[in-house]
Structures are given as structure tokens and as C-alpha cells.
Amino acid sequence: MKMRSRINILVLFLHSSAWGVRIRGDERRFLEIVKRFIKFGAKLNVIEYKPSLQLSYYKTRIYRSIELKDRGLIYTILWLLLLALRIKGYDIIYAYNQDLFNILGAIFFKLFRRKPLVIVVQSLQDIELPLKIIRQMYGASAIDMIFIILHRYILLPLALNFASIIFTVSNSLKRKLTAKYPSIKRKIVTTLNGVDTNKFHPINLEKEYDAIFLGRIHITHKGIDKLLLAWKYIINRHPQAKLVIVGGFESERDKEILYRLVEKLGIRDNVIITGFIDDDKVVFYLNKTRAFISLSTYEGFGLSILEALACVLPVITTDLDVLHELHGDLLFYVATGDIKSLAKTLEKFLTLSQSRLIDESLIETLEKHVKSFSWNSVAYKEFIFINKLVKSGTEM
């Protein structure tokens, strides 16, 4: 991919993650895309919270980071407003996802500088899920709920109308956006996600664990409570079965609930909880495990599923439209919240030999499938659109 184009991009990368604590697929996507943008010749000024995630992910600085010291609501809003007034000299605004602060920042910069705006929509759960569930998920205060409602009904629709291009990570998400906001249909482009197969790949290791969950530990959203209930059933029939739960905790509350539930169910000897670990250890655990489990109630893409497939693991997951779109019959689907069906599927996996779970033809199919999800292709497609937008001088 030969392309050099000196474009100055102002990036809004305000997130709740911290390396060593937790990281979402949203953040991993941005960190993979941005280094490729730089290879294509882009210059990036990235507004994010301190410490910059690039230092942990790349082990060096590859872009100019404008770091906010405090993640508080009022502090962030005031600084976004101040930066929108001060920063000049960029060609385009790039909001890396649809969360409140990135959308609010996008509106500020758009209004004050009138530059083309690009928004990446990676999920609509905060828009589609009932407000009661959102409040429970985030432990939101009354003030938080005011801004959540403001974001849902005013800020996001306004920003999407301001945007010149809206990138989505799946066609399912594109259809939902189009149905909700018909006027933006012609702006939406699906660019998908990718996986680094130099990092996530099969390793010939002896299987030590029976199942693995990988992702942020959010008890209800990720269905971990349902998984543990099903695992209790499995242990009653297979006392030596081992489940590995890998990922950083969404909150201290989620951590407390997880450990308390494990103790209550009496499955402490059958569940390994690693917390946040670096990617090399993640790949190790994936390759030491017989099957991957994802029970999310909502996904915009489901990056951890793709990473598991790259390590040639059979995947058991909830029956979501987006996963059918992306992976078809390569996954084993169970109904959302159906603990009995999940337990039966898990037990079936435990009774099969590894060669029957993953045979040579399936390995070849998975390897071919995974290659169709390339970070290089995603970045190249987005950059082509950004480049054309800047050259055309289009402004919404």
C-alpha cells in the first residue's frame, strides 16, 4: 500500500481505559489504525487522558498527545471548549468513537473551526439499551443520567448530522444507524475491524483449560454471571473442568460481584481469574484452552471473538445478528440468557476430542476467514476516504 499524504488530523481519543487496568476493543482499534495513518503520511494531534495509551501500547510516542490530567465531567468539558478555541492548523476532526466526550468535543471543534468531521461508530448500546439498564451498567448518578440523556437525544444526532463521513465496524451497525437516522444514510461507510495475526495466532501447546472468557469484566453486559451458573452445572458432571476468565474489571463493583459469585457457587477451584494481562500472556492462555466463550448481550463487532478465531479456537457465543454477519456458521450460537442451552453446549465440547473440535479443514477455513480482517485494509480504506474529503474541501 503505497500512499503518502500530509494530512493534519485532530483526534478525539477520550476513553475510560488504562493499560494495566482494562482496555476495550475501541481503544485497541484506534491504536492499531493510528500507527498506519502515520505510515501513510498523516500528522496527528491526539486529545486523550493522561497517561497517553501510546506509551504502553507502542512503548514509545508516535503521535503528539495533548493529555488531560483529570477525567472529571466538568473538567473535561471546560478543557474541550478551551482547546477548540485554541488549536488551529488541522485539516480534519476524527472522533474515534461515539461516546459522550468524543461527541461533545467533535461538536465544539466543528462549530469553532468548521473543519470536516469524521466519526467512527463502534457501538450503539448506550443509545439502544433502556436507560434503566444503562444506569445499572455504569452505576450512573443523577447528574450522569442527565448527560447520558442529553447525549442520546441531542448531542449524538447533532454530531452525526455535522459529520461528513461516519465509519462503522459492521454492516449490522450501519443498518441500525440508518434506521435510526435516515438522513445520514449516504455518509455511512463500513470499514470493519482487524486482527494482528503476528500476535494472535495458533501455538502448539498442550491444552490445560477447558474454556476461556476474554474481555472487560462487566458482569451483566458480558454475561459472566450466566457463564458462571453454567459452569457450576459443568463442574457437577466434570469436577476437574477449568474455566479461565481474562480481562480487566469495569469497576470495583464488578470485581466484588465476580469473586463473591465464584465463592457462592463453590467453584473457586475450577475458575482462574487472571485480571488484566499483556497480549503475549493472552495469546498463551488462548492457546492453552479448548474453547472460547463470549456471552455479551450486545456487541458492535466483538473483537475478542476474532482474536480467538485467529488462535484457531472454537467459539461459543450469544445469538447476535452482528456475529452471524461477520462469522456465519463458524461460531456455535446459544440463545442470550439460556443457561441450560449454554451448559449443554459446553458439556458437548468437553466430551469431544480436540481433533474432533478442530479438524484440518476447519483450521484452513478459519485461517482464510481471519485473513479477511486486516488492520492494514481497515486503515487504508478509512484513510482513502479522509484523503478525498480533505482534498475536496467538503464541509458539512
Side-chain angles (χ1 to χ4, degrees):
M1 296 179 184
K2 293 182 179 180
M3 176 173 55
R4 299 290 295 177
S5 183
R6 198 60 173 173
I7 297 174
N8 293 324
I9 305 177
L10 187 285
V11 181
L12 292 154
F13 184 46
L14 295 162
H15 53 81
S16 60
S17 296
W19 193 264
V21 179
R22 68 179 178 274
I23 187 170
R24 303 183 300 179
D26 290 25
E27 284 78 66
R28 185 182 290 279
R29 183 189 201 273
F30 173 77
L31 292 163
E32 290 292 341
I33 296 298
V34 71
K35 65 182 179 183
R36 291 165 172 85
F37 278 7
I38 292 169
K39 287 181 180 178
F40 298 152
K43 179 182 177 182
L44 276 71
N45 288 301
V46 180
I47 299 173
E48 60 181 321
Y49 290 117
K50 188 177 182 179
S52 175
L53 269 183
Q54 64 181 318
L55 297 176
S56 300
Y57 203 74
Y58 310 127
K59 311 303 180 187
T60 187
R61 290 188 181 273
I62 68 168
Y63 56 74
R64 179 173 179 259
S65 178
I66 303 163
E67 298 177 35
L68 306 190
K69 297 178 181 179
D70 192 311
R71 296 171 186 253
L73 180 67
I74 302 303
Y75 176 92
T76 301
I77 292 173
L78 290 175
W79 265 102
L80 284 173
L81 186 57
L82 183 62
L83 291 171
L85 289 167
R86 284 184 175 179
I87 300 177
K88 302 177 182 179
Y90 52 88
D91 301 306
I92 200 161
I93 308 157
Y94 182 97
Y96 99 105
N97 80 0
Q98 69 295 322
D99 288 352
L100 171 62
F101 288 144
N102 297 298
I103 290 302
L104 190 58
I107 292 171
F108 286 164
F109 279 92
K110 179 67 180 178
L111 289 174
F112 287 117
R113 297 299 174 193
R114 306 298 298 172
K115 297 293 183 179
L117 169 63
V118 173
I119 299 174
V120 183
V121 176
Q122 307 199 42
S123 171
L124 283 179
Q125 77 173 25
D126 289 356
I127 306 302
E128 294 193 323
L129 293 179
L131 288 171
K132 182 179 179 180
I133 293 176
I134 294 294
R135 185 168 192 172
Q136 291 173 345
M137 280 177 59
Y138 297 125
S141 66
I143 293 176
D144 292 333
M145 288 305 298
I146 291 172
F147 278 92
I148 287 170
I149 292 169
L150 186 65
H151 174 241
R152 174 180 287 203
Y153 296 109
I154 298 176
L155 297 178
L156 182 59
L158 180 62
L160 293 175
N161 279 314
F162 279 170
S164 298
I165 303 175
I166 301 160
F167 294 128
T168 65
V169 296
S170 66
N171 285 317
S172 295
L173 199 51
K174 179 179 179 179
R175 285 192 294 272
K176 289 177 180 179
L177 267 176
T178 301
K180 197 164 188 65
Y181 310 108
S183 64
I184 66 172
K185 180 178 180 179
R186 293 184 180 181
K187 303 178 183 180
I188 307 173
V189 180
T190 299
T191 54
L192 299 175
N193 277 340
V195 63
D196 183 352
T197 53
N198 292 319
K199 183 183 294 183
F200 293 92
H201 58 84
I203 304 172
N204 187 21
L205 297 175
E206 183 180 352
K207 302 300 181 184
E208 186 177 346
Y209 311 105
D210 297 286
I212 186 170
F213 164 87
L214 167 64
R216 286 179 299 120
I217 310 300
H218 193 296
I219 301 298
T220 53
H221 174 210
K222 295 296 185 179
I224 298 172
D225 50 346
K226 310 290 190 305
L227 173 56
L228 292 178
L229 290 170
W231 203 249
K232 173 66 175 178
Y233 172 91
I234 292 295
I235 291 167
N236 289 339
R237 295 171 176 266
H238 304 273
Q240 304 305 313
K242 299 287 186 183
L243 167 68
V244 184
I245 296 178
V246 177
F249 295 95
E250 182 72 16
S251 66
E252 281 299 316
R253 178 175 175 271
D254 286 288
K255 184 177 182 179
E256 291 172 8
I257 291 173
L258 175 59
Y259 280 98
R260 189 164 62 242
L261 188 54
V262 168
E263 290 292 336
K264 182 179 179 180
L265 294 172
I267 57 177
R268 181 174 57 181
D269 294 336
N270 301 84
V271 178
I272 297 94
I273 303 169
T274 70
F276 180 93
I277 54 177
D278 287 335
D279 288 343
D280 57 344
K281 291 182 180 178
V282 171
V283 174
F284 171 81
Y285 274 109
L286 287 171
N287 279 281
K288 291 283 284 184
T289 308
R290 286 166 53 81
F292 182 89
I293 304 177
S294 173
L295 299 179
S296 297
T297 56
Y298 187 101
E299 288 289 357
F301 183 92
L303 190 55
S304 62
I305 290 174
L306 182 57
E307 291 167 349
L309 291 175
C311 294
V312 193
L313 263 74
V315 173
I316 304 167
T317 188
T318 35
D319 195 11
L320 302 178
D321 288 345
V322 65
L323 300 179
H324 282 280
E325 172 208 324
L326 296 170
H327 308 297
D329 59 4
L330 293 177
L331 310 183
F332 298 85
Y333 299 98
V334 294
T336 305
D338 190 340
I339 297 170
K340 187 175 181 180
S341 173
L342 172 62
K344 287 183 177 180
T345 303
L346 283 169
E347 188 172 19
K348 187 184 297 183
F349 273 62
L350 290 176
T351 59
L352 292 174
S353 66
Q354 196 64 26
S355 61
R356 289 185 65 189
L357 277 175
I358 300 287
D359 59 23
E360 288 298 323
S361 63
L362 184 54
I363 291 173
E364 291 180 9
T365 301
L366 287 177
E367 289 177 344
K368 183 179 179 181
H369 176 68
V370 167
K371 285 180 181 177
S372 66
F373 296 91
S374 161
W375 287 126
N376 286 335
S377 296
V378 175
Y380 186 77
K381 187 173 183 178
E382 290 196 4
F383 197 78
I384 285 292
F385 276 94
I386 289 171
N387 195 39
K388 287 181 179 178
L389 183 61
V390 172
K391 287 184 176 179
S392 69
T394 302
E395 182 182 305
M396 299 297 292

